[in-house]
């Protein structure tokens, strides 16, 4: 149902022309009213530009849904979700992202599959109004046994929306066993990070596993539930998996048992302190993974965040064996790829090591970025090898 019409400035119209789905508050000349929902959008001459999700309280006022005036109903959502899901092919895992919001032209909608279940997120006020149609669309496209809405993501605050977790259809269990390239782990749809697991690192886990030295020593810092550690444990002789959360480590140990893996040492520690200690003790590792939480939550904290990334990367570089590999990444949206690569170069210079760039990494292919919409990219990483 259309709840009104918005008129946008020439600058606003130009954004859509250039393929960016967002129009900000300052480029809306006439607001459609106070109700969020799906609206018609025209330019100042009254020319129809498309239909959008309208968020009356957010700086991002309009998100382009469709350039046509055909109704955006349950059938429309079903077709779009189905098209996004069918772009995903050859994924070697039972949990994967079927819809990556703006990255799939379905702004503010995330749909993740965990086997027969779906965990979705409705991240804008306009979308929230279409909840019934979206849920019907997910059912039509993916035929799940249950749909859980993890609507507890902080970004909903900018939209004036409540944070909650609701079952929208069927039933969804507390834990789901996921299989990923021969490794099994438990995801927690109701309470785990994001929609229950970090699906975006799936391809990077496989990449690091391929570069892990057989019979060597591996270190997985910021391990959470051990998802990298589990993949490293097969080739490596020993994996030290580190997190400051004892609860996260306990889940990691459960995951290891599930796979019959017994060569992971779970260590509760602050990664910064531990790296300093390992360096002082002259310990060496053949494979190191650095997957920290977002250090830069806002633009203002960027310099401090970059200093933090540099510190852990520098120390990790120093404790790599010759020919050892380091997988390092940042999921801070405010740390651009350029800033990240410059930080690595800086750390490499100070480390005195020569580090080869083996691969430039991002989020897995089921979390696509749009080239002309930089906001769709947040995860950047690199695989480095110390060659002297
Ligand atoms: N590598 C994980 C995801 C990491 S999430 C995966 O692929 O699934 C970030 C983790 O870092 C959280 O579990 C958090 O408890 C931990 N953490 C945050 N700050 C830390 C610190 N200073 N030292 C050790 N662990 C930390």
């Amino acid at each position: 149902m259309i709840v009104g019409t918005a008129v946008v400035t020439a600058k606003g119209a130009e954004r859509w022309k250039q393929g960016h789905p967002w129009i900000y508050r300052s480029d809306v000349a006439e607001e459609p009213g106070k109700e969020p929902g799906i609206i018609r959008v025209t330019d100042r001459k009254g020319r129809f530009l498309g239909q959008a999700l309208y968020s009356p309280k957010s700086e991002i006022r309009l998100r382009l849904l469709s350039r046509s005036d055909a109704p955006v109903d349950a059938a429309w959502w079903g077709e779009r979700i189905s098209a996004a899901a069918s772009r995903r092919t050859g994924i070697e895992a039972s949990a994967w992202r079927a819809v990556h919001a703006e990255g799939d032209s379905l702004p503010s909608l995330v749909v993740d599959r965990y086997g027969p279940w779906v965990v979705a997120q409705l991240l804008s006020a306009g979308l929230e109004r279409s909840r019934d149609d979206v849920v019907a669309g997910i059912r039509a496209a993916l035929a799940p046994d249950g749909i859980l809405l993890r609507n507890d993501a902080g970004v909903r605050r900018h939209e004036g929306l409540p944070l909650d977790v609701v079952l929208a259809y069927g039933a969804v269990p507390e834990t789901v066993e996921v299989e990923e390239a021969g490794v099994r782990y438990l995801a927690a749809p109701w309470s785990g990070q994001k929609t229950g697991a970090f699906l975006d690192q799936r391809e990077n886990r496989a990449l690091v596993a391929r570069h892990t030295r057989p019979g060597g020593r591996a270190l997985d810092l910021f391990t959470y539930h051990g998802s990298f550690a589990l993949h490293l444990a097969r080739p490596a002789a020993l994996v030290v998996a580190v997190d400051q959360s004892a609860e996260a480590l306990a889940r990691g140990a459960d995951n290891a048992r599930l796979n019959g893996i017994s060569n992971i040492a779970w260590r509760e520690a602050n990664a910064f302190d531990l790296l300093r200690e390992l360096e002082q003790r002259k310990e060496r590792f053949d494979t190191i993974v650095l997957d920290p939480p977002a250090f830069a939550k806002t633009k203002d904290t960027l310099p401090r965040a970059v200093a933090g990334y540099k510190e852990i990367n520098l120390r990790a570089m120093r404790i790599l064996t010759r020919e050892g590999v380091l997988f390092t990444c940042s999921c801070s949206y405010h740390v651009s790829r350029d800033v990240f690569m410059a930080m690595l170069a800086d750390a490499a210079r100070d480390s005195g090591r020569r580090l080869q760039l083996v691969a430039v990494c991002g989020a897995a292919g089921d979390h696509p970025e749009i080239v002309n919409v930089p906001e769709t990219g947040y995860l950047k990483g690199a695989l480095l090898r110390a060659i002297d």
Side-chain angles (χ1 to χ4, degrees):
M1 197 188 67
I2 300 279
V3 298
T5 298
V7 178
V8 297
T9 63
K11 193 174 153 207
E14 189 59 26
R15 304 250 313 157
W16 280 7
K17 230 184 188 166
Q18 294 188 1
H20 201 296
W22 297 352
I23 296 180
Y24 290 103
R25 179 176 58 91
S26 53
D27 294 319
V28 177
E30 280 173 42
E31 303 260 347
K34 290 200 164 53
E35 285 298 304
I38 297 173
I39 56 152
R40 297 178 76 247
V41 178
T42 73
D43 65 12
R44 287 192 202 260
K45 293 196 178 113
R47 272 187 301 233
F48 176 76
L49 299 177
Q51 298 181 68
L53 293 169
Y54 174 56
S55 293
K57 292 190 177 150
S58 169
E59 281 300 302
I60 305 169
R61 277 294 207 271
L62 305 176
R63 291 174 171 90
L64 175 65
L65 272 186
S66 161
R67 293 187 196 269
S68 109
D69 58 2
V72 175
D73 52 14
W76 185 92
W77 289 103
E79 278 163 31
R80 291 295 190 97
I81 293 164
S82 176
S86 58
R87 285 180 199 125
R88 277 80 176 151
T89 48
I91 294 181
E92 231 192 304
S94 60
W96 46 276
R97 178 153 294 189
V99 175
H100 187 51
E102 277 75 355
D104 280 299
S105 276
L106 286 169
S108 65
L109 176 64
V110 167
V111 180
D112 287 344
R113 272 215 91 126
Y114 286 89
W117 299 286
V118 158
V119 185
Q121 294 182 307
L122 310 184
L123 301 174
S124 75
L127 188 64
E128 181 66 68
R129 279 297 166 101
S130 299
R131 183 194 283 208
D132 292 348
D133 283 351
V134 173
V135 169
I138 294 172
R139 286 183 61 184
L142 305 172
D145 290 351
I147 303 173
L148 182 70
L149 301 180
R150 275 299 294 275
N151 285 343
D152 54 345
V155 289
R156 281 181 47 113
R157 284 200 194 93
H158 301 298
E159 298 279 325
L161 292 171
L163 305 195
D164 50 21
V165 179
V166 258
L167 186 67
Y169 165 71
V172 173
E174 282 294 324
T175 53
V176 176
E177 193 177 304
V178 174
E179 172 145 12
E180 181 184 283
V183 166
R184 291 185 292 162
Y185 69 86
L186 297 173
W190 291 78
S191 58
Q193 300 254 20
K194 298 204 172 196
T195 61
F198 290 99
L199 306 181
D200 52 358
Q201 293 278 26
R202 187 184 55 252
E203 290 171 8
N204 295 329
R205 290 190 277 263
L207 174 77
V208 189
R210 281 201 300 279
H211 285 86
T212 297
R213 177 174 299 170
R217 279 161 55 85
L219 176 64
D220 178 18
L221 292 158
F222 309 95
T223 190
Y224 187 50
H225 295 176
S227 63
F228 275 95
L230 298 170
H231 286 269
L232 308 184
R234 290 187 297 182
L238 170 74
V239 184
V240 179
V242 180
D243 204 283
Q244 68 184 11
S245 155
E247 208 209 311
L249 292 172
R251 298 287 82 74
D254 290 343
N255 285 332
R257 271 190 291 277
L258 191 65
N259 290 278
I261 288 172
S262 56
N263 58 338
I264 303 178
W266 303 94
R267 188 140 176 208
E268 186 182 337
N270 180 313
F272 285 82
D273 298 340
L274 183 70
L275 274 167
R276 209 172 303 127
E277 214 181 292
L278 293 170
E279 192 187 337
Q280 273 161 9
R281 289 210 309 261
K282 298 201 165 26
E283 290 216 23
R284 293 291 177 266
F285 292 88
D286 303 294
T287 310
I288 302 178
V289 171
L290 280 181
D291 180 21
F295 289 164
K297 299 267 195 243
T298 63
K299 247 192 196 149
D300 306 337
T301 55
L302 190 60
R304 249 195 82 117
V306 172
Y309 286 119
K310 184 183 166 187
E311 178 175 343
I312 53 174
N313 278 281
L314 168 60
R315 293 193 195 280
M317 287 167 180
R318 284 186 178 148
I319 63 168
L320 272 181
T321 56
R322 181 185 279 245
E323 300 297 328
V325 297
L326 166 64
F327 171 74
T328 174
C329 61
S330 163
C331 58
S332 293
Y333 165 69
H334 297 285
V335 176
S336 66
R337 192 171 281 284
D338 286 352
V339 168
F340 182 73
M341 294 309 290
M343 175 281 295
L344 280 184
D346 198 15
R349 270 191 296 272
D350 286 6
S351 76
R353 307 292 301 270
R354 190 175 301 254
L355 289 146
Q356 202 174 52
L357 183 58
V358 180
V360 172
C361 311
D366 51 344
H367 295 57
E369 289 181 27
I370 301 292
V371 170
N372 40 343
V373 185
E375 294 87 346
T376 53
Y378 59 97
L379 184 65
K380 56 247 118 199
L383 187 71
L384 307 175
R385 181 187 287 118
I387 55 169
D388 62 11

